[in-house]
């Protein structure tokens, strides 16, 4: 394959800092560990399991939202940005979790949800009780409806979760009234970021958590805060991904240039708490923005530190597709002097151990359920291990999602009646939604709820096959997925791969090969086994080599 592009400086002109090469582990609090046995994970549960993460060898944890919330979108509907949802614990539990993580050398990133509040937030309650045009309404995006009696939504935007992006309110006098915008569920009204009061509030929220010692924020829907001023109609289907060519018009609700002013202001706030390589506080953009050049704008030197690389997550499992996305990603972030990031799974997508078990080229499904084409579990796990080993050898920062270190698949046969993702309901079941990647994870094969908690309770049912994935079945077992991750993380650190330099090697169309940090990395995507050079010393492999010492199909090796 044409591998002319040699990537020389993986971290470009970025000030090296802990985040430029960090491996960051995402904890989804509902599903990580349940200390009180109510079937929903909690902060004390996480604290009790921190040794697992230290032992695994990650550098930081990112906690999905644990704030007071009616849980209409599993906590991404925040009713109070300065507290802890009682389901998950108390503010003291959060303080203790932060302190215990730090004591183990783990940095802590929390989730910030600025695009919308919960409809249970006091601001929204006040907005509903107030008159059209009032200061309380101007914190959100309220508009009169179209049509003679205002009975039509103000524009044609659709919610990312399905259905219209507007809901009509009943005014305090009982009459049908204005409409409010919600790009997600109707329980998640969008804030009006043109309002200085909204901006001031979030600066204060940043300070609240920085004062409690957090090392950074993952910023939810970072590309959505500013809407095109005229709220123009958009006749295209709604997708969270802006997905446009660099010179094509962008959807009026995504990736508007005005968002960058907000992040410049936040950067100053964070830097006032520490900006050195060791004590820098970071902002991570969850911005579904393509192409990579547009995404790179979020990580210019005076804005955020990192942005999730969803183009990488979405790339097909072929050598040309992986080569193209890796090259493009490194070039785009180097151009602005930021670290590249890599991610294969999170709480919004089908776990990669299942996604990669679907036929190559299958469009990304939004959940998999009974009656849907099922992934090939063996192929999926094999490719997932190969993909992870490839990812962990790339320069930059990598994100892991809880359970992937166990090779955990998606729950692909959840009964529809237990589904909780609003996407399922709002699309009338057309999209199964994200519950399948959010099922509580297995720790002990023979314990109730596989050790998720002290009881059998689990807010989503765990499949009976999950005993074999439990941590206690894998720890200390050579070749297990857990030991593969643990070994790879140790070698990644020893060889400085995260801050290294990637150089492609010439290879056939079905193979990717590059050097970094004194190691050569080779992934075989093709049907035939690939021989290694004479004398190659394999230090890590996602699958056993064949009897002739060759790299089999869908496998990655690191060798000296
Ligand atoms: C992105 C989050 O990752 C997702 O889980 C959530 O539903 C939406 N943003 C809305 O907050």
């Amino acid at each position: 394959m044409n591998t002319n592009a040699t990537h020389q400086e993986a971290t470009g002109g970025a000030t090296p800092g802990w985040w430029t090469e960090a491996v960051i582990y995402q904890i989804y609090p509902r599903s990580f560990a349940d200390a009180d046995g109510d079937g929903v994970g909690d902060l004390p549960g996480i604290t009790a399991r921190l040794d697992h993460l230290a032992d695994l060898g990650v550098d930081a944890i990112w906690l999905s939202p644990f704030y007071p919330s009616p849980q209409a979108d599993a906590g991404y509907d925040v009713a109070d940005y300065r507290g802890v949802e009682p389901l998950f614990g108390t503010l003291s539990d959060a303080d203790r979790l932060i302190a215990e993580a730090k004591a183990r050398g783990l940095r802590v990133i929390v989730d910030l949800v600025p695009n919308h509040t919960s409809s249970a937030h006091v601001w929204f309650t006040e907005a509903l009780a107030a008159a059209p045009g009032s200061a309380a309404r101007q914190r959100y995006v309220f508009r009169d409806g179209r049509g003679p009696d205002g009975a039509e939504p103000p524009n044609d935007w659709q919610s990312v979760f399905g259905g219209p992006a507007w809901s009509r309110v009943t005014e305090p006098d009982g009459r049908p009234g204005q409409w409010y915008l919600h790009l997600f569920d109707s329980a998640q009204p969008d804030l009006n970021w043109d309002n200085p009061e909204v901006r001031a509030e979030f600066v204060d929220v940043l300070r609240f958590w920085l004062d409690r010692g957090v090392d950074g924020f993952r910023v939810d829907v970072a590309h959505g805060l500013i809407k095109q001023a005229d709220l123009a109609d958009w006749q295209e289907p709604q997708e969270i991904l802006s997905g446009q060519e660099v010179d094509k018009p962008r959807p009026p609700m995504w990736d508007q240039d005005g968002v960058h002013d907000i992040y410049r202001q936040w950067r100053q706030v964070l830097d006032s708490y520490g900006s050195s390589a060791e004590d820098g506080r970071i902002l991570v953009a969850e911005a579904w923005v393509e192409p990579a050049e547009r995404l790179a704008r979020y990580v210019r030197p005076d804005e955020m530190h990192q942005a999730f690389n969803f183009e990488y997550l979405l790339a097909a499992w072929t050598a040309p597709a992986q080569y193209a996305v890796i090259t493009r990603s490194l070039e785009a972030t180097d151009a602005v002097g930021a670290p590249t990031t890599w991610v294969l799974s999170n709480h919004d997508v089908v776990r990669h151990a299942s996604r990669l078990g679907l036929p190559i080229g299958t469009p990304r499904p939004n959940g998999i359920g009974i009656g849907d084409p099922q992934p090939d579990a063996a192929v999926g796990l094999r490719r997932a291990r190969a993909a992870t080993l490839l990812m962990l050898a790339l320069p930059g920062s990598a994100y892991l999602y809880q359970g992937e270190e166990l090779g955990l698949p998606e729950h692909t046969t959840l009964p529809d009646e237990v589904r909780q993702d609003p996407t399922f309901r709002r699309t009338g079941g057309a999209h199964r939604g994200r519950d399948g990647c959010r099922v509580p994870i297995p720790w002990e094969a023979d314990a109730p709820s596989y050790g998720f908690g002290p009881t059998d309770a689990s807010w989503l049912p765990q499949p009976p096959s999950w005993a074999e994935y439990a941590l206690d079945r894998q720890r200390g077992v050579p070749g297990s997925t857990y030991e593969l991750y643990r070994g790879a993380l140790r070698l990644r650190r020893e060889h400085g791969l995260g801050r290294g330099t990637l150089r492609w090697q010439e290879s056939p169309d079905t193979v990717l090969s590059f050097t970094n940090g004194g190691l050569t990395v080779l992934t075989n995507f093709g049907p035939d086994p690939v021989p290694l050079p004479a004398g190659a010393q394999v230090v890590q492999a996602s699958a056993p080599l064949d009897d002739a010492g060759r790299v089999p199909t869908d496998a990655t090796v690191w060798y000296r």
Side-chain angles (χ1 to χ4, degrees):
M1 95 178 304
N2 175 9
T3 49
N4 290 336
T6 297
H7 184 75
Q8 298 294 348
E9 291 296 331
T11 53
T15 314
W18 64 267
W19 62 94
T20 55
E21 56 180 310
V23 176
I24 302 174
Y25 182 100
Q26 179 189 358
I27 294 179
Y28 195 64
R30 296 181 72 86
S31 304
F32 188 68
D34 174 20
D36 63 11
D38 65 354
V40 180
D42 45 44
L43 301 187
I46 298 170
T47 305
R49 294 284 189 183
L50 285 173
D51 285 337
H52 163 65
L53 302 175
D55 195 42
L56 182 60
V58 299
D59 302 296
I61 56 176
W62 147 37
L63 298 157
S64 279
F66 51 76
Y67 316 111
S69 159
Q71 304 288 308
D73 183 22
Y76 283 93
D77 47 320
V78 180
D80 172 5
Y81 290 85
R82 298 178 185 79
V84 171
E85 162 62 35
L87 259 180
F88 300 136
T90 63
L91 205 46
S92 326
D93 292 331
D95 289 339
R96 187 155 160 264
L97 167 51
I98 295 168
E100 293 288 333
K102 284 180 186 286
R104 288 164 179 76
L106 297 168
R107 293 189 161 84
V108 180
I109 294 171
V110 294
D111 219 304
L112 187 74
V113 189
N115 180 68
H116 43 264
T117 69
S118 161
S119 52
H121 191 285
V122 61
W123 274 8
F124 197 68
T125 316
E126 287 171 13
L128 290 185
S134 60
R137 288 229 169 151
Q138 279 165 21
R139 294 170 179 146
Y140 294 92
V141 185
F142 277 87
R143 292 288 185 279
D144 293 333
R146 294 202 276 209
D149 51 2
E152 301 295 320
N155 70 20
D156 66 356
W157 295 4
Q158 298 294 298
S159 152
V160 172
F161 293 160
W166 296 90
S167 290
R168 195 172 195 188
V169 302
T170 304
E171 299 296 353
D173 64 8
R175 283 187 297 190
Q178 286 195 299
W179 297 72
Y180 67 91
L181 176 68
H182 51 87
L183 289 179
F184 296 90
D185 191 63
S186 53
Q188 295 167 293
D190 278 51
L191 285 163
N192 169 18
W193 275 88
D194 294 322
N195 184 337
E197 192 186 356
V198 171
R199 295 192 183 218
E201 168 69 0
F202 275 85
V203 166
D204 200 65
V205 169
L206 290 176
R207 290 190 186 284
F208 179 86
W209 289 104
L210 288 165
D211 287 340
R212 304 196 97 82
V214 305
D215 297 286
F217 301 88
R218 174 265 190 193
V219 180
D220 191 61
V221 201
H223 61 318
L225 275 51
I226 299 287
K227 281 79 182 174
Q228 193 172 294
D230 60 0
L231 301 182
D233 278 341
W234 175 252
Q235 277 94 16
E236 309 286 327
Q238 176 57 281
E239 286 181 355
I240 192 168
L241 186 63
S242 70
Q244 297 295 304
E245 299 299 321
V246 78
D247 49 356
K248 295 249 183 76
R250 284 185 304 288
M253 69 293 284
W254 302 134
D255 195 27
Q256 301 296 305
D257 289 341
V259 293
H260 298 287
D261 294 337
I262 299 168
Y263 305 134
R264 287 197 189 94
Q265 185 191 12
W266 290 5
R267 176 62 178 258
Q268 287 176 11
V269 175
L270 265 74
D271 280 356
S272 73
Y273 282 77
S275 58
S276 72
E278 273 305 303
D279 71 357
R281 315 297 157 101
I282 70 164
L283 292 166
V284 185
E286 190 235 8
W288 291 81
V289 170
E290 284 182 349
E293 293 78 10
R294 283 295 299 186
L295 183 63
R297 292 159 56 95
Y298 289 76
V299 289
R300 288 175 290 192
D302 58 347
E303 295 192 41
M304 301 214 187
H305 299 73
Q306 296 184 340
F308 288 108
N309 187 350
F310 295 125
E311 200 176 340
Y312 176 71
L313 184 150
L314 297 172
W317 183 248
T318 66
Q322 296 285 321
Y323 171 77
V325 73
I326 292 168
T327 309
R328 217 171 25 240
S329 306
L330 290 167
E331 283 171 3
T333 44
D334 271 9
V336 293
T340 317
T341 67
W342 312 103
V343 62
L344 289 165
S345 280
N346 65 30
H347 66 293
D348 289 331
V349 299
V350 171
R351 283 180 176 276
H352 68 288
S354 297
R355 198 173 68 235
L356 295 174
L358 294 168
I360 291 170
T362 307
R364 175 173 75 101
N366 189 348
I368 299 174
I370 297 167
D372 294 337
Q374 294 288 309
D376 181 322
V379 169
L381 179 57
R382 185 179 179 85
R383 289 184 180 155
R385 290 168 54 111
T388 297
L389 204 54
L390 169 59
M391 174 177 86
L392 290 177
L394 295 170
S397 173
Y399 278 81
L400 306 180
Y401 175 49
Q402 65 179 37
E404 68 167 88
E405 76 277 24
L406 306 174
L408 209 61
E410 183 88 355
H411 192 329
T412 58
T413 53
L414 272 177
D416 286 345
E417 51 287 4
V418 305
R419 292 191 179 276
Q420 303 203 15
D421 181 355
T423 311
F424 179 72
R425 176 178 39 84
R426 289 187 64 91
T427 61
H431 290 281
R432 305 284 182 162
R434 302 161 293 175
D435 295 300
C437 63
R438 299 174 173 181
V439 174
I441 62 174
W443 297 89
E444 286 126 33
D446 301 317
S449 64
Y450 302 123
F452 165 60
T455 66
D456 269 327
S458 169
W459 70 279
L460 285 171
Q462 301 161 297
S465 59
W466 276 19
E468 66 183 274
Y469 295 97
L471 177 65
D472 69 349
R473 289 268 173 96
Q474 300 198 41
R475 199 192 276 130
V477 177
S480 69
T481 302
Y482 171 73
E483 293 299 342
L484 175 72
Y485 270 71
R486 195 159 160 268
L489 289 172
R490 182 176 46 77
L491 284 165
R492 177 184 154 93
R493 199 184 290 253
E494 281 171 18
H495 287 264
L497 302 183
R499 59 173 176 279
T501 299
L502 181 152
R503 287 195 179 83
W504 293 109
Q505 298 209 311
E506 282 302 328
S507 46
D509 268 348
T510 51
V511 172
L512 271 196
S513 179
F514 60 86
T515 60
N516 180 14
L519 294 179
T520 302
V521 177
L522 185 148
T523 302
N524 180 9
F525 297 84
D528 304 318
V530 175
L532 292 173
Q537 213 192 321
V538 173
V539 295
Q540 192 66 280
S542 69
L545 303 188
D546 73 5
D547 292 343
R550 296 171 304 180
V551 182
T553 302
D554 291 330
T556 298
V557 295
W558 296 359
Y559 65 90
R560 269 196 279 263

